[in-house]
């Protein structure tokens, strides 16, 4: 896959707004966007750090709202499509794999694991249930293929949903390597091009990053398994207050030097 389809690049010398995991909490996202629209300037970058979907009760409405907000920002004079980026979080990665679950070695076990990790609300958003998926898994590959095909068709019918899911990036960074944006973490033993699943499942060692990774001054993530809110370190930053689990949604504005300039909470 070409690098431009995997990573997004932001110009240096500008502000970047980073939004933490939303997890289907559309009310909090709407409240955050109400604050953000008054503060974001044309020329600022905006990045959603993954996990728009999953866990929360209103996944479909969350995608609808984020698409409308993006459209409103791009309608402003001087706005550029490249200024707004969406990362693939662990929830979106699970959804991607769910749509191909008929090829898994043990699909029923895989589906149960996904359900334990919050995928059920995304399944419901596109017109099905966990019970239907488990029943299909018990029937075999043909039934599973029919089930995932229905989910895929429902997503395609929803205007903009499939395009958004297809445009998710694995990471993003500023051209001057001031900031690297990821969903959950990085494997510091590997270069950026060889992170594989570390972007989604590499959170355990995140707090141990004490030196710049790959010459990036700071790594910013949108999912923290402890949901501690906004936590800024010398070389890292976490933006996750537990939205979708009863906690608030946060956004942080980083200045051109990579330092936090403003924090929003909803």
């Amino acid at each position: 896959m070409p690098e431009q389809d995997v990573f997004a690049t932001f110009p240096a010398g500008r502000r970047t707004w980073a939004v933490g995991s939303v997890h289907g909490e559309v009310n909090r996202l709407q409240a955050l966007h109400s604050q953000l629209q008054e503060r974001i300037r044309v020329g600022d970058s905006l990045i959603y750090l993954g996990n728009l979907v999953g866990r929360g009760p209103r996944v479909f409405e969350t995608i609808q709202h984020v698409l409308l907000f993006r459209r409103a920002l791009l309608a402003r004079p001087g706005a550029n499509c490249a200024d707004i980026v969406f990362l693939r979080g662990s929830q979106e990665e699970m959804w991607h794999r769910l749509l191909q679950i008929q090829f898994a070695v043990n699909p029923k076990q895989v589906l149960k694991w996904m359900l334990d990790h919050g995928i059920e609300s995304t399944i419901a958003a596109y017109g099905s249930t966990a019970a239907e998926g488990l029943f299909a898994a018990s029937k075999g590959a043909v039934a599973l293929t029919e089930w995932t095909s229905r989910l895929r068709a429902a997503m395609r019918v929803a205007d903009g949903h499939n395009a958004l899911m297809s445009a998710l990036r694995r990471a993003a960074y500023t051209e001057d390597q001031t900031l690297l944006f990821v969903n959950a973490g990085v494997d510091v033993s590997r270069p950026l091009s060889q992170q594989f699943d570390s972007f989604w499942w590499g959170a355990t060692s995140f707090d141990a990053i004490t030196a710049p990774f790959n010459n990036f001054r700071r790594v910013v993530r949108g999912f923290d398994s402890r949901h501690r809110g906004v936590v800024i370190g010398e070389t890292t930053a976490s933006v996750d207050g537990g939205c979708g689990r009863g906690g608030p949604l946060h956004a942080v504005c980083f200045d051109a030097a990579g330092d936090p300039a403003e924090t929003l909470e909803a």
Side-chain angles (χ1 to χ4, degrees), residues 23-37:
H23 283 137
E25 287 281 359
V26 69
N27 290 341
R28 291 189 185 275
L29 183 61
Q30 290 170 335
L32 186 82
H33 280 165
S34 293
Q35 300 176 55
L36 183 57
Q37 69 182 355

Side-chain angles (χ1 to χ4, degrees), residues 9-63:
T9 306
F10 292 128
R14 59 197 292 180
R15 304 194 312 167
T16 305
W17 291 88
V19 180
S21 294
V22 179
H23 283 137
E25 287 281 359
V26 69
N27 290 341
R28 291 189 185 275
L29 183 61
Q30 290 170 335
L32 186 82
H33 280 165
S34 293
Q35 300 176 55
L36 183 57
Q37 69 182 355
E38 302 297 328
R39 293 166 171 79
I40 192 168
R41 311 167 189 162
V42 173
D44 287 354
S45 300
L46 171 61
I47 183 166
Y48 295 83
L49 298 170
N51 296 335
L52 283 172
V53 304
R55 298 201 179 277
R58 298 177 65 190
V59 166
F60 190 92
E61 293 90 338
T62 296
I63 299 296

Side-chain angles (χ1 to χ4, degrees), residues 22 24 26 29-30 33 48 52-53 58-72 86 125-126 154-162 164-165:
V22 179
V26 69
L29 183 61
Q30 290 170 335
H33 280 165
Y48 295 83
L52 283 172
V53 304
R58 298 177 65 190
V59 166
F60 190 92
E61 293 90 338
T62 296
I63 299 296
Q64 291 284 90
H65 177 68
V66 82
L67 289 170
L68 289 172
F69 187 69
R70 176 182 182 273
R71 185 182 303 171
F86 299 89
Y126 296 106
M155 184 171 65
R156 286 174 176 163
V157 167
D159 187 30
H161 288 225
N162 189 63
L164 176 61
M165 290 293 190

